[in-house]
Structures are given as C-alpha cells and as structure tokens.
Amino acid sequence: MSRGALRGPAVTLWAWMVLLRAPAGVSGDGSEVWSSHQRASPVNATQLFLYDTFPTNFSWGVGTAAVQVEGSRAEDGKGPSIWDGFLRAPRPGVPGVPGGGAQPSSDSYLFLEKDLWALEFLGVSLYQFSISWPRLFPDGTVAAVNAKGLRYYERLLDSLRLRRVEPVVTLYHWDLPLPLQERYGGWKNGSMVDFFNDYATYCFQTFGDRVKYWITIHNPYLVAWHGYGTGLHAPGEKGDRAAVYAVGHNLIKAHSKVWHNYNRNFRPHQKGWLSITLGSHWIEPNRWENQMDILKCQQSMASVLGWFASPIHGNGDYPEDMKKWLSILPLFSDTEKKEVKGTADFFAFSFGPNNFKPQNTMDKMGQNVSLNLRQVLNWIKLEYNNPRILITENGWFTDSYIKTEDTTAIYMMKNFLNQVLQAIRFDEVQVFGYTAWALLDGFEWQDAYTTRRGLFYVDFNSEEKERKPKSSAHYYKQIIQENGFTLNDSTPDIQGQFPCDFSWGVTESVLKPEFMASSPQFTDPHLYVWNATGNRLLHRVEGIKLKTRPAQCTDFVSIKKQLEMLARMKVTHYRFALDWASILPTGNLSVINRQVLRYYRCVVSEGLKLSIFPMVTLYYPTHAHLGLPGPLQRRGGWLSPSTAQAFQDYAGLCFQELGDLVKLWITINEPNRLSDIYNRTSNDTYRAAHHLLMAHAGVWHLYDQRYRPAQRGLVSLSLHADWAEPANPYVDSHRQAAERFLQFEIAWFADPLFKTGDYPAAMREYIAAKARRGLSSSELPVLSAAERRLVRGAADFCALNHFTTRLVLHEPQRGGGRAHADRDLQFLQDITRPSSPARLAVEPRGARRLLRWVRRRYGDLDVHITASGIDDPAPHDDRLRKYYLQTYLQEALKAYLIDKVKIKGYYAFKLTEEKSKPRYGFFTSDFKAKSSTEFYSKLISSHGFPSHNSGTRCRQTQSSTECTVCSLFLQKKPLIFFSCCCFFTLVLLLSLTVFHRRKRRKFCKAKNLQHIPLKKGHNRVLN
C-alpha cells in the first residue's frame, strides 16, 4: 500500500494546516538551526574539514543487533521471533527478502571469540549489542530462562570486562517473541508494557553488575512505522494508521516504566545509566530565506524525532502540532506526562540509512533530505536543552558484492565523524561517544542480504565465518588510535616570499583578435557632411581625402580593456594564446592575415609599456573548439604527420613577427588532454599524441637554432597536471592506480622531454601486458633513435596546469577500443572537501606533492605553474576562489622554501569568464572586477606571505617608479589630452573676458570725462 493510502486525509489535512499557522508554538529552539545556517560559506573556518582530536574521555564504540548477527535461530532452546514468522512467507513488496525461512548469518552465537578478536583489532572502548528476548525467554514471559542463551550473554559480558570494553546493552532491537505477537497482537496491546518490564527486570538483576549503559528500545519510530504501517518490517502489518500511533504510544510507556523501575530498584547500587535510542533523518529547506520552508523542515523533524523525543526529553507530551491535527494520536494523562518526562539519562541517537530509506520512511514535506549529522545534533541541542548525546548507530552501506574494499564507506565515515567533531568543537554539543554500525556484515532488515554494513566482511556461505577487516575497519582503527584527525604529513602555514623575479601572472585562453580598429575616426581619410536638419546622417564627400595620422595600437578598444584589468591586478605576466586559424586561414604561409598579427603585437607592446610581460601560447585547443585551420582539420588534423610541419611553419612566422617582444613561449597547451578528442580507437589517441610531441620538438629546435641567439627566449609546452591520491590508502591496487594515473597523464609527455626521450616504461609495459591478456589492442608508437634525440631536452622549463587532486581507484576495464580503458582507473569524490560546481575539489596539499614528484623524477627543473584556478559561482564575492589562491600559493611557497623546487611563476586561471560557462574569471564577462582581484593583487604586492615585521624584500627602483608614472600617462593619454584641451580653452576664455572688461572700463572713463566742465581757454581732447 502506498504511503498516501496509509496516512490518509487526516494526516494530509494536518500537514497543510501546520503550514498555514504561524511559526510560534513549536517547543524548543530547533528551528534556529536553519535560520542561523543560511547556507554558510563552504570555506568558512567552521565549515571546512576540521583537523583536531576528540575530548580525551571520548568513547569509541561499535554495534550489532542480535537478529542481524547471532544466527542459530532455532538452536539451544531459542524461541522464534516476529522476524522468523515474517521471513517464512515470500515478501514481494520487500526487496531482498526471499522468504522460506532459511537465512544465512554471521553466527556470532557460535563464534563469539572471533567477534572479540574483531573488537580487539579496532581498539574500541564500547560495544553495543542487543539481547535476544526470545533467546532468553522463548515464549516471551519471564517464567523459565533458557540456560544456554543465558550462558552466551554471561560469556560475552565477562569477556568484555576482561578486555576493558564497556558494554552498551539494548533490551529490544526489534525481535519480539513470536508468541506475544500471536497471542496479544504485539506492541498494539498495552499489556506489552508489563511483559517488557518483567523482561527488563530480569536483565537488570542478572547482568546489571556488569552493565553501566542500558538502551531500552532501538529506534521505536521504525518499529511503529515499518512494523505496523508500511509492512516493511516484522510483524509486517500495514494500513492501520491508528495502530501506528498506538504502537508508538505503548513503546513510550514501556520505556518509561522500565526507566522508573531501574531508577528506583537498581540504579542506587548498580550506578548505571538508561536511555532509548531515537533515530531520525535530517532535512533542509528549498529556500533558506523562506520562513515557510523552514517551518516545513521543523514539522518534518517533529513528526519523526519529536514524536518520541518530545515526551521523553521535552515536556512529557507529543509536539503540539501532532496533537492538534492528528485526531488518531493517543493522549497522555497528566499523570502519564509526569511519568514519561525526563525518562532518559542521556540522548541516545541513531543516524543511519534505515532512517532515510526507503523513501516513505519519513515525511520530507517537499524539502530536501540531507546527511548533515552536525546540523541534526545542533537541532537536538537547541530543541532539548543541550543534553549529553551518545551516538548509538551511525554508518552507511555498500552493495553486497563488495568484500573488503569498501572505499565509499571510508568517506561516509570520515564525513560523519568530522561533523561530530565540528559539533563538539565549534557548536559545544555534548557528544560523549560514537558507535560505528556495524561490527559485522549481517541481515539488513528489509534489504536482507542485498547490502552490507559491517566493518568486517563475512562470507555467509563459509563454514568458519572468518571476520575479515574491511578498509573501513582499518580507517576506524586509525581514527580511534589518533582520537580524531591529525595532519601527519602536513606542514603548518609558513611566512615567506617568492623571489623578486617571480612571475605573477594571469591566464587567458585564446585571445580573439580584432580584425579592424575599434576607433577609426583618426584613420579614415574621407570627409563627411552631417545632414543636421534632415535624416541626421553623415554623408561622405567624394573626391576629397584628408591627411590622417598613422594607425596606433590604442585604436583597439579591447586592448585598452585588457590593460585596465591587468593593471588593476598588478600582475607582472600575462599568458594568452594566439588564434592559429585566424593568422593562417589556409593552414600554410600562402595567406597571412597581417592585421591579426598586428593586433597581437599591439597586445604585447602595450602590455610591455606597463611592465606586463607576455607568455604566448601558439596553440590552445579545447574540446569545444579544436583550433586548427579548416584545411588542416579536413586532412585529418593531428592524425596526419603533415600537421606537425604546418605547425612548425606557423610557429616560425610567430617567432619572426613577435619574437623580439616575447621571451616566454608555450607551443601547445595540454597536449595530454587534446589527444582525448582523437578517441575513435586507442591507437588513434596515441598516434595523435605522438604527432603533437614531434610537432613541439620540431618547433623547439627551430627556435633554438634560428631565433634564440637573437631573441633569447624560452620555449616549452604546458601539461595538464592534476595530482592523484589513492582513494583507498589501505589497498595496494589503489596506490598503484594513483601512480599509474601520473604515468599516463604527466609522464606520457614529460618523460620524453625531461628524462629518456621515450614514453614511460611503466606505461608501455602496462599497455603491453593488457594486450598479452587479450584485454586491449593498444600499442604505443615506437620512437626511433633520431626521434628520441630530437625529443629529449626539447623544453626549457616545465610548464604545469594544475587545478585539483583526483582520488583514484583501480577499476579493471576491458578494451572497448578507447585509450582511457588502458588505464584501469576510476575516480572518487571526497565529500568532506570543499568543491566547485564543476566538481573540482579544493585540495591544496596536492599542489606541493605534485611539485615534489616532478623534482624527484626529473631533477632540478625550472617550473612554471601556467594555469591554476577554480570555478566560483559567486558573481562578485568569490570567497571560494580567494581561499583557493591563499591555500594553493601557500603550498607552492612551501615547495619553494622547504622542498627547494625552482618555481619561477604562478599564473592564475583566468582573466575573464565566459557567459554560460563555469565562472573561472577574476572579471565578469562585462569586465566587472570580483573581490578576488584585490585579494590576488595584495598577494602579488607582498610577493607571498611575509611576516609582519619583515616588509617587502623587493623594492622598486627609481627607474621603475618613473616607468610606472610613464605607464600611467600612456594608459590615460586620451583623458589627459582632453583635460589639457579643456584647461587651455578655459584659460583663453578667461583672457578674452579680462581683455574686454579692461577695454570697456577705459571707454566708460573717457565718456565720463566729457561731462566735466573745462576752464576757459582749454580744448577737450578725445582719444
């Protein structure tokens, strides 16, 4: 039956009415979690992965449930449980449950010593297990105990005491004795409260001297919801909504009675603590700023966790909204409220896959389910007055075919545990213990044996049922030994500076040329008449030509924009790429577009006036645009050897036209990625790569022999160089896969250039080995002796484009005809690391490790990081990019100062972003600066990370200061000219005004003299 049928109109009405009422009236302050979170920056210090330790008295545990691992379901006097009855019949609506009754097991009942060995291996201080009620009392009533079952639990507890492992004992983990279900209807019947109390009393009497932590019931929400609502759990009843809430009501009352029983009769001398494990999901709003969505999230949590937590940890009653809109919800009397309230000595919390799947486990109310354990711990803190919390179940699952290499489980555990640590250290949540689930593979409820959750792998079909530690067991053991997360191989941030001649650059991809000047008013020789009274258009006067000034680089408006952005960033170098197809449209020297070459020369020359030096890339292909002239592309592109010769001719032209101004050249950008385009077959890929390598070598020798003596520049090629780490550090095949990634990705081109003149031996041998086994038809090209001499040493520096670190695992792949299949690799995303929308993980330590690997493999090379950056979705305040720059440059500085890597430059990627593409730019597509622009310029001005009292070692000389003034003048020349014109016009107007005023004054004075009477005999003289 669907969940909609289960809940019915009353629940739907409740949900809608809740959304219409005001947010007030919800007990506690849990909703503040969403209001305060408001999508905090992923690079905020409190959101980043926390390297720290847990409190010294923190308890590390692992857990199991009797139904899942004990086995021996009908041996030694054990009675049947509701799960035995549930599994006898086929369950077509329950995936993974085959029916028929015969179920495999880990057989903990028979192999207790192997379980104890597993506990010792991990080094845990807590072991949470459940007592099987029907193993102790086959019919459910405390009449005659099953002696063999009793001896098993006695042995277990005594063994734990000898090993100084604290037991956490769960009285009821879903295995109700079947007779109680058949006779009384199970938890629907209120008489179960007394049956459960009798059973608990016996356990307290018998085991209480060795048990300090008791759990009455594990996750009552799932008992009620799936056992009596959806039918996914035993006893498999469904459809009766009233029964669901009646069962929940009886479970709360049963827990309360047992707590009071223990508190009165056993706590005084046993000194233990008792609680109930409550499970929950977590939910986040669609719109963080919308109070209605936050209200929905609060109601979703209240309907699951609050259903049981509010009576026990809150005010003794159900959440107000549940009482108001669920008419079928049983009510507590005033006396019962007092009895229920406060009946837990700590908050026992479960956060695992059973709280999330299947989909109808919880009411999402249209919001987003999340695995943010930190936030739900904060919700508990705020909602229930900061209780002490023991996480009694946490973990994830893997598919059943996974044996010991449960790599994804490592990262899920890493994520959950770090969220717990953040909650403790940053949010002051009182978590005092953690239970990883589970110790062993076993029966997984509605999923049966289609999934595994154990830290130890068990072959259910074997006789000995050996416990084999999985990777997650090794990882958890390490966490326990270190009591948290430590940076064993990391160096703290250092203070220091890069050398004064360090290249601080920014990268742009292909710079599209302007084919004509943007400002033709000074270069057009024609005379125009303006039809001011008619159509108001300019009309050319034929037959008249005026004298014009020569064309200038400032006529290109795009160059002005670029220079303004570069000057604002304070970079010393600008890396951009030429457009081969625009310079040589036919692919050869028969047609040369001189206007395009002039544009590029203007870009370089105008930048040099501002002391911005160019690094020019001859060929910059992308997956979207191959960048070859059309005729060359039609002749096969890089699959044809003739393209290499055409590239050499093109490069020679560029050296000839621009070489006097350019001192740093990149022949080809990322040839190790370009070859991916030629992927019809793997041999096409390797042949295209071979031609690219030979093309570069030919160009390098051309420059070395013909142009270097006069131009004194440097030539190399840029390799895409992401670092690789084994996804699973506990598996040798993953470590080998990470090294293989570097061989196929970087050494493929770097070995021929900087080492042997040939492709890496490891790469060649791996491909050949696959071919011998019939798994690949690939074959690397063989370089002749002459080709090896041509290639070896054909690079003046090592240029690397580094963006991220990849987590690599070994994944065998059959041929398929693609070169990528030869690598046998697969990639994994570390969810604990900040990442960009393009799924680039920010892992700065990989940059330093890459640089050390290059130095170790190729010696003391000059290294330029020719592109490095990340896409940041923020339109202006790009905090992710600033964090990336800060951390990656820190690691580069460590490589320079500590590892003695000769880093010569760092080029941030990239200057401007493109519309409808990942936002890598420091400037928007309409040239507006983002906040990272100022951040990067400050790093450049400081030459890195100087100490507060060291100042800047690199002082500007007088000449450079004068050059800066000249550069400012050249940059603002039009404005200065206009200002001067305005100034001189004003002076002229003032002069004319003064002259006319003086003349008028003289005239008036002369006129007034005519009215003065003269003495007799005097004549009037007029000027």
Side-chain angles (χ1 to χ4, degrees):
M1 183 178 292
S2 69
R3 189 177 180 203
L6 168 70
R7 291 178 66 89
V11 179
T12 304
L13 176 63
W14 168 68
W16 280 108
M17 293 300 292
V18 162
L19 301 182
L20 293 175
R21 60 187 294 278
V26 179
S27 63
D29 299 317
S31 60
E32 290 299 316
V33 172
W34 297 286
S35 300
S36 60
H37 184 62
Q38 287 292 319
R39 287 198 178 276
S41 167
V43 294
N44 184 290
T46 63
Q47 302 298 318
L48 293 170
F49 189 87
L50 177 60
Y51 288 98
D52 201 349
T53 57
F54 287 82
T56 54
N57 59 347
F58 193 79
S59 297
W60 295 101
V62 68
T64 58
V67 176
Q68 295 183 287
V69 300
E70 279 188 3
S72 302
R73 293 182 304 105
E75 284 79 19
D76 290 346
K78 179 185 177 297
S81 77
I82 54 175
W83 280 93
D84 295 313
F86 180 70
L87 295 174
R88 286 195 189 109
R91 297 281 170 179
V94 185
V97 177
Q103 301 297 328
S105 171
S106 300
D107 284 336
S108 288
Y109 182 76
L110 300 177
F111 299 110
L112 174 59
E113 291 300 322
K114 294 183 180 181
D115 287 358
L116 295 171
W117 172 85
L119 296 174
E120 289 179 330
F121 177 89
L122 294 173
V124 294
S125 54
L126 291 179
Y127 178 42
Q128 179 181 329
F129 66 92
S130 70
I131 294 175
S132 172
W133 188 349
R135 191 177 293 282
L136 279 184
F137 301 104
D139 67 352
T141 62
V142 182
V145 69
N146 175 17
K148 291 184 178 180
L150 175 61
R151 279 199 298 271
Y152 170 73
Y153 294 114
E154 294 274 9
R155 280 183 59 212
L156 174 55
L157 288 169
D158 290 341
S159 299
L160 293 176
R161 172 181 282 185
L162 286 174
R163 290 162 176 79
R164 296 183 179 179
V165 175
E166 191 74 53
V168 179
V169 178
T170 301
L171 295 172
Y172 181 70
H173 199 133
W174 308 352
D175 52 350
L176 186 72
L178 185 60
L180 296 183
Q181 179 68 36
E182 293 175 340
R183 294 174 197 165
Y184 302 98
W187 287 105
K188 292 184 295 184
N189 194 318
S191 62
M192 290 302 303
V193 173
D194 292 324
F195 284 122
F196 183 62
N197 187 54
D198 293 342
Y199 158 61
T201 301
Y202 178 85
C203 291
F204 295 152
Q205 292 171 338
T206 309
F207 309 124
D209 58 328
R210 287 158 288 181
V211 178
K212 298 303 178 187
Y213 291 97
W214 292 97
I215 301 296
T216 54
I217 302 165
H218 185 89
N219 209 338
Y221 176 87
L222 294 181
V223 175
W225 190 258
H226 283 326
Y228 297 85
T230 65
L232 290 177
H233 285 187
E237 298 183 8
K238 55 185 176 180
D240 187 348
R241 293 180 292 107
V244 171
Y245 293 103
V247 166
H249 197 70
N250 289 332
L251 289 166
I252 294 172
K253 291 168 68 175
H255 159 79
S256 172
K257 185 164 187 173
V258 169
W259 186 90
H260 284 288
N261 179 9
Y262 184 81
N263 193 52
R264 284 192 304 267
N265 303 315
F266 299 97
R267 192 194 304 276
H269 58 278
Q270 293 184 358
K271 310 294 184 184
W273 296 272
L274 185 142
S275 187
I276 179 172
T277 290
L278 303 181
S280 183
H281 63 307
W282 181 243
I283 200 98
E284 292 181 347
N286 287 322
R287 299 163 294 178
W288 288 84
E289 71 286 351
N290 187 284
Q291 288 300 312
M292 188 61 70
D293 282 0
I294 290 176
L295 174 61
K296 292 177 184 178
C297 291
Q298 176 71 9
Q299 295 302 329
S300 177
M301 293 299 296
S303 68
V304 178
L305 184 54
W307 179 7
F308 296 89
S310 183
I312 295 169
H313 294 277
N315 60 5
D317 203 356
Y318 295 117
E320 288 298 321
D321 294 315
M322 289 186 70
K323 291 195 301 178
K324 188 172 182 179
W325 304 113
L326 275 174
S327 60
I328 56 177
L329 187 69
L331 300 178
F332 290 112
S333 67
D334 290 341
T335 302
E336 287 175 329
K337 291 177 187 177
K338 293 177 182 178
E339 286 288 312
V340 170
K341 181 180 178 181
T343 55
D345 303 320
F346 55 91
F347 199 113
F349 181 59
S350 163
F351 193 75
N354 290 325
N355 299 306
F356 290 87
K357 66 182 196 126
Q359 286 294 313
N360 64 351
T361 297
M362 68 295 189
D363 189 353
K364 297 185 292 185
M365 289 190 150
Q367 306 306 303
N368 302 313
V369 173
S370 167
L371 297 179
N372 198 324
L373 176 54
R374 177 184 177 183
Q375 294 304 318
V376 72
L377 290 174
N378 271 279
W379 190 86
I380 293 170
K381 171 192 172 182
L382 295 173
E383 193 77 9
Y384 303 112
N385 197 26
N386 197 15
R388 295 178 71 246
I389 300 173
L390 173 63
I391 296 174
T392 51
E393 179 190 5
N394 182 235
W396 211 243
F397 64 92
T398 59
D399 292 326
S400 59
Y401 67 87
I402 302 294
K403 294 185 178 180
T404 58
E405 294 184 19
D406 58 339
T407 305
T408 55
I410 291 178
Y411 291 95
M412 295 300 292
M413 177 181 285
K414 179 182 179 182
N415 184 46
F416 287 137
L417 279 173
N418 204 256
Q419 289 177 352
V420 174
L421 182 59
Q422 290 172 334
I424 294 171
R425 295 302 186 195
F426 293 137
D427 310 326
E428 299 181 343
V429 179
Q430 298 187 75
V431 181
F432 67 91
Y434 175 89
T435 306
W437 202 273
L439 178 66
L440 308 173
D441 288 335
F443 174 72
E444 290 300 332
W445 314 114
Q446 74 271 10
D447 292 327
Y449 298 94
T450 61
T451 63
R452 293 177 180 267
R453 291 188 64 191
L455 296 176
F456 287 80
Y457 169 77
V458 178
D459 182 356
F460 301 126
N461 297 318
S462 66
E463 291 186 3
E464 294 302 316
K465 307 291 175 68
E466 296 297 335
R467 278 68 167 135
K468 298 179 181 179
K470 300 181 184 179
S471 298
S472 56
H474 289 282
Y475 182 72
Y476 192 43
K477 177 180 181 179
Q478 178 182 332
I479 295 294
I480 294 172
Q481 289 174 342
E482 298 175 355
N483 197 37
F485 302 91
T486 58
L487 272 173
N488 297 322
D489 62 341
S490 180
T491 305
D493 285 353
I494 63 173
Q495 293 180 329
Q497 294 173 287
F498 291 95
C500 294
D501 61 349
F502 191 77
S503 301
W504 292 97
V506 65
T507 295
E508 190 62 283
S509 50
V510 176
L511 200 60
K512 289 299 181 182
E514 289 186 60
F515 289 92
M516 60 179 295
S518 306
S519 305
Q521 63 266 37
F522 298 116
T523 57
D524 189 350
H526 296 96
L527 178 67
Y528 295 86
V529 175
W530 182 27
N531 186 355
T533 59
N535 57 15
R536 307 183 70 82
L537 298 177
L538 292 172
H539 298 276
R540 182 190 295 179
V541 178
E542 301 296 339
I544 300 177
K545 287 194 176 182
L546 306 174
K547 186 177 180 181
T548 62
R549 64 157 173 78
Q552 297 180 4
C553 288
T554 52
D555 295 336
F556 295 106
V557 171
S558 64
I559 294 179
K560 296 178 186 177
K561 287 288 186 184
Q562 291 170 44
L563 294 178
E564 288 173 5
M565 292 186 288
L566 294 171
R568 183 166 182 174
M569 295 185 73
K570 300 181 182 178
V571 294
T572 62
H573 285 70
Y574 177 36
R575 182 190 172 201
F576 66 91
L578 309 179
D579 186 356
W580 182 1
S582 295
I583 295 173
L584 299 178
T586 61
N588 55 44
L589 300 179
S590 61
V591 178
I592 301 173
N593 193 327
R594 297 286 175 182
Q595 180 68 11
V596 173
L597 284 171
R598 176 176 171 268
Y599 173 81
Y600 288 130
R601 187 172 181 85
C602 283
V603 172
V604 173
S605 60
E606 291 299 302
L608 287 172
K609 292 176 183 178
L610 298 177
S611 297
I612 299 174
F613 300 94
M615 175 183 277
V616 175
T617 303
L618 294 173
Y619 180 51
Y620 193 106
T622 65
H623 282 267
H625 182 63
L626 193 55
L628 283 172
L632 295 181
Q633 180 63 31
R634 288 190 289 273
R635 288 200 293 269
W638 287 105
L639 291 176
S640 171
S642 62
T643 303
Q645 181 57 51
F647 182 64
Q648 189 169 327
D649 295 340
Y650 159 65
L653 174 66
C654 295
F655 295 151
Q656 180 181 326
E657 296 295 326
L658 305 174
D660 58 322
L661 302 179
V662 178
K663 304 305 176 189
L664 292 171
W665 292 94
I666 298 294
T667 56
I668 305 168
N669 186 70
E670 298 187 354
N672 51 340
R673 287 298 176 91
L674 169 63
S675 53
D676 294 349
I677 298 172
Y678 297 95
N679 59 6
R680 184 177 59 87
T681 68
S682 56
N683 288 327
D684 277 359
T685 301
Y686 297 133
R687 187 163 74 253
H690 184 74
H691 293 155
L692 285 161
L693 180 63
M694 301 312 298
H696 160 77
V699 168
W700 185 88
H701 283 282
L702 172 67
Y703 187 84
D704 190 56
Q705 296 165 8
R706 188 178 303 177
Y707 297 100
R708 193 192 304 277
Q711 297 179 0
R712 301 187 180 280
L714 302 173
V715 179
S716 188
L717 52 68
S718 286
L719 297 175
H720 191 100
D722 288 338
W723 180 244
E725 293 282 350
N728 190 332
Y730 306 101
V731 179
D732 287 338
S733 65
H734 288 218
R735 288 192 289 270
Q736 295 163 3
E739 180 59 29
R740 188 162 65 251
F741 172 85
L742 298 175
Q743 295 288 327
F744 276 74
E745 186 80 356
I746 303 173
W748 184 11
F749 283 81
D751 268 24
L753 293 173
F754 301 115
K755 196 172 183 181
T756 62
D758 199 356
Y759 298 117
M763 180 180 179
R764 193 181 289 280
E765 290 167 4
Y766 196 84
I767 292 173
K770 289 196 68 172
R772 286 194 297 271
R773 298 196 304 271
L775 302 177
S776 172
S777 59
S778 304
E779 185 176 359
L780 273 180
V782 177
L783 281 81
S784 66
E787 287 177 326
R788 290 197 295 271
R789 287 194 298 271
L790 181 74
V791 170
R792 186 177 182 183
D796 300 318
F797 56 92
C798 180
L800 305 172
N801 296 348
H802 175 73
F803 294 90
T804 189
T805 293
R806 312 287 294 275
L807 292 177
V808 183
L809 53 89
H810 175 70
E811 183 68 26
Q813 300 178 33
R814 296 193 65 87
R818 301 295 177 89
H820 275 298
D822 291 335
R823 305 184 179 194
D824 290 339
L825 301 177
Q826 188 173 330
F827 301 105
L828 185 72
Q829 193 82 7
D830 185 353
I831 59 175
T832 68
R833 299 299 180 198
S835 60
S836 70
R839 296 179 63 80
L840 291 182
V842 181
E843 180 49 273
R845 289 178 297 168
R848 183 182 177 190
R849 290 169 181 168
L850 170 68
L851 293 168
R852 287 192 304 213
W853 183 85
V854 168
R855 186 175 189 271
R856 198 165 51 243
R857 187 174 181 89
Y858 302 113
D860 210 17
L861 295 174
D862 289 349
V863 178
H864 289 256
I865 300 175
T866 45
S868 181
I870 196 165
D871 58 306
D872 190 325
H876 302 294
D877 186 16
D878 47 350
R879 287 179 285 180
L880 180 61
R881 181 172 295 109
K882 289 187 286 188
Y883 174 76
Y884 183 97
L885 289 169
Q886 168 89 15
T887 54
Y888 274 66
L889 279 167
Q890 254 292 330
E891 294 301 313
L893 183 63
K894 293 173 190 176
Y896 170 67
L897 293 177
I898 299 173
D899 307 325
K900 306 304 178 184
V901 179
K902 294 169 65 176
I903 305 176
K904 295 296 184 179
Y906 180 91
Y907 294 74
F909 185 86
K910 69 189 194 82
L911 184 62
T912 56
E913 66 187 28
E914 302 174 59
K915 291 181 178 179
S916 304
K917 290 191 176 181
R919 293 181 167 180
Y920 283 94
F922 284 87
F923 292 83
T924 63
S925 56
D926 55 352
F927 311 114
K928 293 179 180 177
K930 301 179 185 178
S931 61
S932 58
T933 302
E934 182 181 358
F935 181 82
Y936 189 40
S937 68
K938 288 180 179 178
L939 284 174
I940 295 172
S941 299
S942 303
H943 279 268
F945 306 90
S947 59
H948 296 297
N949 54 4
S950 67
T952 303
R953 294 184 293 107
C954 308
R955 301 292 182 185
Q956 286 187 325
T957 62
Q958 180 65 28
S959 60
S960 66
T961 304
E962 293 173 357
C963 182
T964 301
V965 175
C966 295
S967 299
L968 181 63
F969 175 79
L970 291 170
Q971 187 179 353
K972 303 296 183 182
K973 187 165 59 174
L975 179 61
I976 295 172
F977 176 76
F978 177 73
S979 301
C980 290
C981 290
C982 292
F983 175 75
F984 286 117
T985 302
L986 181 61
V987 169
L988 180 61
L989 289 173
L990 288 173
S991 301
L992 289 173
T993 302
V994 171
F995 174 76
H996 283 287
R997 290 187 66 179
R998 290 182 64 184
K999 185 173 181 181
R1000 183 175 181 80
R1001 193 180 300 116
K1002 288 181 180 180
F1003 177 77
C1004 291
K1005 185 177 180 181
K1007 189 173 182 180
N1008 291 336
L1009 289 174
Q1010 294 180 5
H1011 302 287
I1012 300 175
L1014 299 174
K1015 294 180 181 181
K1016 291 182 179 181
H1018 287 253
N1019 296 323
R1020 191 177 299 279
V1021 179
L1022 296 175
N1023 290 329

